[in-house]
Amino acid sequence: MRLTIFGSGYVGLVTGACMAEMGNHVLCYDIDEAKIERLNNGEVPIYEPGLDAYIARNAEAGRLEFTTDVKKAVDHGLFQFVAVGTPPDEDGSADLKHVLSVARSIGEHMDEYRVVVDKSTVPVGTADKVKDEIQAALDARGVSIEFDVVSNPEFLKEGAAISDFMKPDRIIVGTDNPRVTELLKSLYEPFNRNHDRVISMDIRSAELTKYAANAMLATKISFMNELANLAEKFGADIESVRLGIGSDPRIGYHFIYPGAGYGGSCFPKDVQALAKSAADEGYDATLLNAVEAVNLRQKRRIFEKIQSHYGDDLKGKTIALWGLAFKPRTDDMRAASSRVTMEALWEAGAKVKAYDPEAAGEAARIYPDQAGLELCDTAYDAVEGADALVIVTEWQEFRSPNFSLLKEKLSDAVIFDGRNLYEPETVEGRGLQYYAIGRGRS
Ligand SMILES: NC(=O)c1ccc[n+]([C@@H]2O[C@H](COP(=O)([O-])OP(=O)(O)OC[C@H]3O[C@@H](n4cnc5c(N)ncnc54)[C@H](O)[C@@H]3O)[C@@H](O)[C@H]2O)c1
């Protein structure tokens, strides 16, 4: 089948590459000319494990192409996938300008029937706005061409995006036209061989399902972070509590790790956008607002621990920081906890020597002129000449460090661990002071 993908970011590129892998002919479009040029030169502009091989193989086979020509994009695919960003607006609502601009382009250029498939995370009711935008563009041209709009939210996780897309837990198809459900089912058939994963529903429910999933996951994290803070007050150990509650199958072990708060391009903005949509309907989403508030507080928790160890003035201190990405196996630093920690450290006069296996380039792009930031090539380069170590992202290579070397290098022999990677006795047994999240009285 022929597909066009609008937006060549994390979702667009993974969707395009995986759809091409199944034999479809995919054309990826983006307004970012530099990005498309890099893709046409065989470069992959983001880090996502396995993506480069998928792109190379399918581009080579002629099934995956990249363009900035919007007319060509609209002409190419029966399916027009929308995978552009929906960043938060100033008031927290999802900014739909990219989604609606794609809709307009489709209306301005389509010459025959098109299925517009929305993969971007958008507030309930957006499909109606997309329909109106396309219709208005068609009306302005004085033409009448049939089209359908489908909500097909994406659930991939950065860092495991290829396998999530290839073996999805579910494929949500929201449409009011049964014929379109069948078209989408046949497109997704290769991803569906083991058992039918398509869950079809009305468009609004599909749009809400995506927000519900992210809000639920964010709630689990904020709940555990709240409990971790209480464990510190009560002198309990949240890791024991985690095991104690996770063993209940109604609760389960997934997604109940306390830490330095959630970041990334989805949870923070989606929780906020859902709360804002609720407010627009006159409903005060008390729980969602609390989830967000707990998370904002939690992102400062590591800095608070540094501050209570050292006092307010950190002038002259050099802090090694392991992990810049918002989670392992990605280079994405959107809303990352590392940013909150580093910015607070700079404000207090400290310098940061940071190491991340993939996100150094992104950090250099975000903080181009930050004198307080030195980006290092290895984890142990970062601790060279540092007073303390802070861990913000749980990359696997941080799980089993050489504690004796850390003790030797860190002049204050202290670790602040925002991801609870180690057993306190192990670290303390090597002569280092250890602060983690919820693992002892603070
Ligand atoms: N990143 C994730 O893990 C993830 C997972 C599920 C859903 N989502 C949702 O998918 C959407 C895309 O997220 P992302 O992380 O891939 O974003 P991204 O920022 O990585 O990519 C978006 C791309 O869209 C391009 N773009 C903007 N306007 C355009 C236009 N008019 N036409 C064509 N391209 C345009 C941008 O240049 C950019 O390359 C968002 O709504 C997000 O919430 C993201």
Side-chain angles (χ1 to χ4, degrees), residues 9-11 30 35 84 86 98 101 121 154 158 269 334:
Y10 288 87
V11 170
D30 204 290
K35 194 178 251 189
V84 295
T86 45
H98 301 307
S101 136
T121 302
E154 182 50 55
E158 286 177 26
K269 82 168 170 57
R334 285 178 281 186

Side-chain angles (χ1 to χ4, degrees), residues 260 297-307 341 390-392 416-419 435-437:
R297 188 172 62 189
Q298 198 67 14
K299 283 174 143 177
R300 283 192 63 83
R301 201 68 198 107
I302 277 291
F303 178 71
E304 285 167 6
K305 285 173 190 274
I306 298 170
Q307 218 176 14
T341 307
V390 172
I391 302 170
V392 203
F416 300 91
D417 179 359
R419 298 296 168 195
Y435 296 90
I437 304 287

Side-chain angles (χ1 to χ4, degrees), residues 380 383 401-410 430 432:
Y380 292 98
V383 293
N402 182 339
F403 287 114
S404 308
L405 193 60
L406 291 180
K407 164 93 166 66
E408 191 188 305
K409 302 272 183 206
L410 296 170
R430 303 295 173 90
L432 288 143

Side-chain angles (χ1 to χ4, degrees), residues 320-325 327-329 338 353-359 376-383 389-403 406 415-423 427 434:
L321 184 126
W322 284 0
L324 291 161
K327 68 172 181 180
R329 293 167 67 80
S338 65
K353 289 187 79 183
Y355 166 71
D356 187 285
E358 294 296 337
C376 302
D377 291 335
T378 72
Y380 292 98
D381 284 353
V383 293
L389 169 63
V390 172
I391 302 170
V392 203
T393 315
E394 64 277 33
W395 284 93
Q396 280 183 357
E397 68 174 87
F398 304 152
R399 284 178 190 265
S400 204
N402 182 339
F403 287 114
L406 291 180
I415 298 178
F416 300 91
D417 179 359
R419 298 296 168 195
N420 287 0
L421 295 187
Y422 317 122
E423 279 308 312
V427 189
Y434 183 59

Side-chain angles (χ1 to χ4, degrees), residues 179 298 333 338 351 355 429 433:
R179 203 186 63 186
Q298 198 67 14
M333 282 182 66
S338 65
K351 287 204 160 91
Y355 166 71
Q433 255 185 295

